[in-house]
Amino acid sequence: MSIAPKLMEEDNQNRKTLEERNKMGDLDRMRHSCAHVMATAILRLWPDAQFAAGPPVENGFYYDVDLKHRISPEDFPKIEEEMKKEIKANHTFERIEVTREQALADAKTGRLGGLTERPDNPSAFKIGNLEDIPEGETITYFKNGDFVDLCAGPHVMRTGNIGAYKLTSVASAYYKGDEKNPQLQRIYGTAFKNKTELQAYFTMVEEARKRDHRKIGQEMGLFAIDTDFVGPGLPLWLPRGAAIVEELERLAKETEFAAGYVRVKTPHIAKERMYLTSGHLPKLYADSMFPPMELSESGGAEGTPERYYLKAMNCPHHHRVFAAEPHSYRDLPLRFAEYGTNYRYEQSGELFGLMRVRSLNMNDAHIYCTAEQFAEEFNAVNELYLKYFKIFGLEKYVMRFSTHDPARLGEKYVNEPELWLQTENMVRDVLKNSGIHYIEVPNEAAFYGPKIDVQVWSAIGREFTIATNQVDFAVPKKFGLVYRDRDNVDKTPLCIHRAPLGTHERFIGFLIEHYAGNFPLWLAPDQVQVLTVGDEPSLVQYARGIVADLRAGMVRCQGDFGSDKINGKILRAEQAKVHTMLVVGPRDMEAGNVSVRLHGMGNVGAKPHAEVVADILAAIRERRS
């Protein structure tokens, strides 16, 4: 079985620190060890193999290898057979400390990443890897049997501690992720404690393949990516996909209106000054923004050019909305909401269906509040997430609370040490008091304040980051935002950035895979189809009346009134994933009934057509799952 690897950019990880390695869990240790066993097996088959990095990654491990032979999935069984021998031998993973000089000498003889010395085949990639080890850090090898490699570990005790394993795929990768370096073969595999867990993983992978949002999206006609005329990463929403977009936006608007939000609209471009003031330019966000446009404000050839950028984020625009009018403490909290279109220049290799795009429509809002109001507002946002989880049937979730690294103030984070501690404590207190499940992650905050990433798991157990909730104590001050407090003194508000539904693109991609395209009635692109048993004029007229009743209630309803056999009509509707089919024949017409069929469930019985219409309208209005 061959499994497509994760995006190469995600796998080209920076070198782990010793602290990160010490925190490696049992499963990652086993997978790291399995990578060394795989390298041992490859060397027994192809002694000229030269290895670079071999870390554990999400759901498995890989090793980068330079080899004249092009490894293919057809080679996997014989590699796995050699791995089996090494595991059966139960060799100890021996840790050996060496000097930098010794490691360099062993690399030159080809001993590192090899079974023996290979004077005519030096370990060139290990020489490069040595350069990445900071001065003063202990240099170690790990040895299992005859295989020795430059490695900081950790590993399991013995090769026999490795459970069930399987090689999964092969891809190309540049050494150290740099396209200027040699291109290597990247061999992927996975390992689990036992065969039961391994088989469960492959069952999940196969189900994920069936649910791939790109595959289902094409089959259902939800979206298209036209690289020839529109461009990569710029999805076009087709009518059925646009229906889902509209439903999500309606949900957000209704929910936000009830929570006291007001809606704003902002342009798709802004002057360079906007992003210089916010701090996104010149360095922090420049790589993620499209190149600027230079325009002459006077319209003449002699005019001074003005730089404009496509909007990559809504927050600076909302700050200017706040600044457009004076505010007092009586106006706060002030909650600005917008489904704003943003443009981000993701690298072409990072683009992935709807999950990584260059044009994204974000369920964004910014809450301006006082420090005293913060806890209530931040908790209300978290409660909003919980409401959405219930609507979409998301039972497993966690809030990742990301904090700053004091050592990187002024570099990665705004240099306001007291405000960092204050706002992080505020967020931590809200999470503890609300009882929401969260984990704390250091050194992953936004540059302007602590944040929460909302992690959810789909119906088949795949993890996604779907939304964020961020605190901003820095940027409002940069824009000079103030409100007049009770003592008639100007103060800077705190700002909460939140996007519970993330972007249309990523969230719909997630929902496609979560539901496998079988959306609940309120969200389904094709909600109802009325099918006639025959095409008698009176029967068609009766069926058209049902369609009209439903469409009057804004239900996405169509009719299939042709002379085809009813089984063929039902099959087409099932293939199109129409949620509800209303079958009408002569007897139904005489009784004023319809026979109701639900996608994937079959016939659920005949009912009076007025009752069915009323129930459909109620189910959509209540967003029943």
Side-chain angles (χ1 to χ4, degrees):
M1 178 183 294
S2 177
I3 301 173
K6 285 164 55 68
L7 294 176
M8 302 302 296
E9 287 74 12
E10 294 183 14
D11 284 342
N12 288 326
Q13 301 172 330
N14 294 326
R15 183 176 180 273
K16 284 184 170 62
T17 65
L18 293 179
E19 182 181 0
E20 289 171 332
R21 288 177 180 274
N22 290 333
K23 291 180 179 178
M24 199 180 286
D26 291 344
L27 191 56
D28 280 342
R29 288 171 184 254
M30 185 176 71
R31 288 169 173 171
H32 189 192
S33 305
C34 200
H36 281 233
V37 168
M38 179 181 72
T40 305
I42 290 174
L43 281 164
R44 287 177 180 162
L45 295 167
W46 299 284
D48 62 323
Q50 285 285 359
F51 290 93
V57 291
E58 185 181 358
N59 295 323
F61 60 86
Y62 71 78
Y63 229 124
D64 286 342
V65 59
D66 185 28
L67 182 62
K68 290 180 181 178
H69 173 76
R70 296 301 301 176
I71 294 178
S72 71
E74 286 70 35
D75 294 314
F76 290 172
K78 58 184 178 184
I79 297 174
E80 290 169 349
E81 187 60 33
E82 289 295 331
M83 292 173 68
K84 183 178 180 180
K85 295 176 185 176
E86 176 63 14
I87 291 172
K88 188 175 181 180
N90 201 24
H91 288 131
T92 300
F93 277 99
E94 182 183 356
R95 182 179 182 273
I96 305 169
E97 292 189 11
V98 297
T99 63
R100 189 175 294 270
E101 292 72 24
Q102 180 64 53
L104 185 59
D106 288 340
K108 289 179 178 178
T109 65
R111 184 66 182 97
L112 292 187
L115 301 179
T116 61
E117 288 190 358
R118 299 175 290 177
D120 58 341
N121 196 10
S123 308
F125 303 115
K126 299 304 174 182
I127 295 174
N129 290 352
L130 270 170
E131 297 171 355
D132 296 334
I133 301 177
E135 288 292 337
E137 184 176 307
T138 301
I139 296 175
T140 58
Y141 299 164
F142 271 86
K143 181 177 185 295
N144 57 283
D146 294 327
F147 181 67
V148 177
D149 202 4
L150 179 70
C151 180
H155 290 278
V156 294
M157 290 293 294
R158 311 181 71 89
T159 59
N161 296 137
I162 294 171
Y165 60 90
K166 191 168 185 63
L167 303 188
T168 54
S169 63
V170 59
S172 296
Y174 292 106
Y175 177 53
K176 295 186 178 181
D178 188 340
E179 60 184 13
K180 296 177 183 177
N181 289 334
Q183 192 175 65
L184 308 177
Q185 300 181 66
R186 178 166 291 182
I187 318 302
Y188 283 90
T190 192
F192 288 86
K193 288 191 297 184
N194 51 55
K195 290 183 179 179
T196 300
E197 290 185 7
L198 182 70
Q199 185 55 50
Y201 168 73
F202 281 110
T203 299
M204 185 273 287
V205 168
E206 179 60 22
E207 183 63 23
R209 186 191 65 78
K210 295 176 184 176
R211 291 171 178 248
D212 189 317
H213 77 280
R214 296 167 299 173
K215 173 178 176 288
I216 293 177
Q218 182 179 19
E219 292 171 352
M220 294 183 67
L222 302 181
F223 67 94
I225 296 179
D226 183 346
T227 58
D228 291 334
F229 286 86
V230 181
L234 303 171
L236 298 170
W237 291 106
L238 306 182
R240 288 184 175 86
I244 302 175
V245 169
E246 292 290 332
E247 288 293 349
L248 290 178
E249 192 158 351
R250 183 179 295 113
L251 169 64
K253 286 180 176 179
E254 290 176 4
T255 305
E256 290 164 358
F257 182 82
Y261 288 76
V262 292
R263 303 204 71 77
V264 298
K265 299 288 286 184
T266 59
H268 291 226
I269 62 173
K271 289 184 176 182
E272 182 179 54
R273 180 185 179 190
M274 172 87 89
Y275 304 110
L276 290 172
T277 302
S278 69
H280 291 96
L281 293 177
K283 294 181 179 179
L284 285 171
Y285 218 81
D287 290 344
S288 296
M289 298 179 71
F290 275 83
M293 300 170 279
E294 290 198 351
L295 304 174
S296 175
E297 287 300 315
S298 67
E302 300 300 321
T304 302
E306 186 84 60
R307 285 186 166 208
Y308 284 80
Y309 282 84
L310 284 173
K311 180 171 63 172
M313 68 294 296
N314 301 309
C315 35
H317 289 71
H318 288 191
H319 295 334
R320 297 312 299 166
V321 172
F322 185 95
E325 297 178 306
H327 299 286
S328 81
Y329 69 93
R330 296 184 183 88
D331 302 320
L332 304 186
L334 188 54
R335 310 175 187 97
F336 291 153
E338 177 183 20
Y339 253 109
T341 304
N342 299 159
Y343 303 90
R344 298 182 183 173
Y345 190 70
E346 302 283 2
Q347 297 299 311
S348 59
E350 298 174 342
L351 299 175
F352 183 73
L354 294 177
M355 299 302 188
R356 292 290 289 270
V357 294
R358 289 175 172 170
S359 171
L360 43 137
N361 294 271
M362 187 174 293
N363 169 226
D364 219 351
H366 296 87
I367 302 170
Y368 301 88
C369 63
T370 66
E372 294 75 22
Q373 294 167 335
F374 174 81
E376 183 177 352
E377 290 300 313
F378 200 81
N379 188 61
V381 172
N382 288 337
E383 291 295 327
L384 198 62
Y385 286 113
L386 299 181
K387 177 178 180 178
Y388 287 145
F389 294 165
K390 185 175 182 180
I391 289 173
F392 295 105
L394 304 178
E395 298 179 352
K396 184 179 179 182
Y397 67 88
V398 66
M399 306 284 192
R400 290 179 86 252
F401 171 34
S402 299
T403 59
H404 79 300
D405 178 358
R408 303 189 70 180
L409 289 172
E411 173 201 345
K412 184 178 178 181
Y413 304 111
V414 172
N415 193 12
E416 295 276 3
E418 292 183 6
L419 285 174
W420 274 107
L421 294 176
Q422 178 186 351
T423 52
E424 286 175 356
N425 286 333
M426 291 166 71
V427 172
R428 193 177 291 111
D429 288 344
V430 170
L431 290 170
K432 287 180 179 178
N433 293 335
S434 65
I436 291 176
H437 178 47
Y438 78 96
I439 58 174
E440 193 162 322
V441 183
N443 198 26
E444 289 191 14
F447 76 88
Y448 47 66
K451 69 170 182 172
I452 289 176
D453 289 311
V454 183
Q455 308 293 118
V456 298
W457 280 259
S458 70
I460 59 168
R462 294 188 68 189
E463 182 181 0
F464 290 81
T465 301
I466 62 165
T468 59
N469 188 7
Q470 303 175 353
V471 185
D472 183 354
F473 56 75
V475 182
K477 184 188 298 183
K478 291 183 177 182
F479 279 99
L481 305 188
V482 295
Y483 67 93
R484 190 62 58 90
D485 74 0
R486 294 176 186 273
D487 299 321
N488 211 31
V489 176
D490 284 345
K491 289 188 176 179
T492 302
L494 280 174
C495 179
I496 299 172
H497 304 237
R498 45 108 287 183
L501 297 178
T503 68
H504 285 324
E505 290 73 17
R506 184 170 178 79
F507 193 60
I508 290 176
F510 165 77
L511 289 178
I512 291 171
E513 298 188 0
H514 178 60
Y515 292 123
N518 303 313
F519 295 97
L521 177 61
W522 71 274
L523 198 54
D526 296 296
Q527 293 174 315
V528 182
Q529 195 168 80
V530 181
L531 315 175
T532 57
V533 183
D535 60 349
E536 291 296 323
S538 57
L539 185 62
V540 170
Q541 183 177 0
Y542 175 69
R544 288 189 189 279
I546 298 171
V547 172
D549 289 344
L550 288 166
R551 291 188 67 84
M554 299 295 290
V555 178
R556 292 184 288 279
C557 178
Q558 305 292 336
D560 188 347
F561 309 142
S563 59
D564 296 351
K565 298 289 186 181
I566 188 61
N567 287 344
K569 294 180 180 181
I570 291 172
L571 179 61
R572 286 197 297 270
E574 286 282 356
Q575 291 173 338
K577 299 184 184 292
V578 176
H579 184 279
T580 299
M581 290 150 270
L582 304 181
V583 179
V584 295
R587 291 182 181 176
D588 297 301
M589 180 179 64
E590 291 173 5
N593 288 343
V594 295
S595 294
V596 182
R597 296 183 63 93
L598 300 179
H599 173 62
M601 295 177 61
N603 189 6
V604 296
K607 297 179 181 178
H609 95 256
E611 179 182 326
V612 170
V613 169
D615 186 59
I616 288 172
L617 293 175
I620 293 172
R621 184 174 60 253
E622 296 164 11
R623 296 189 174 95
R624 296 177 194 166
S625 58

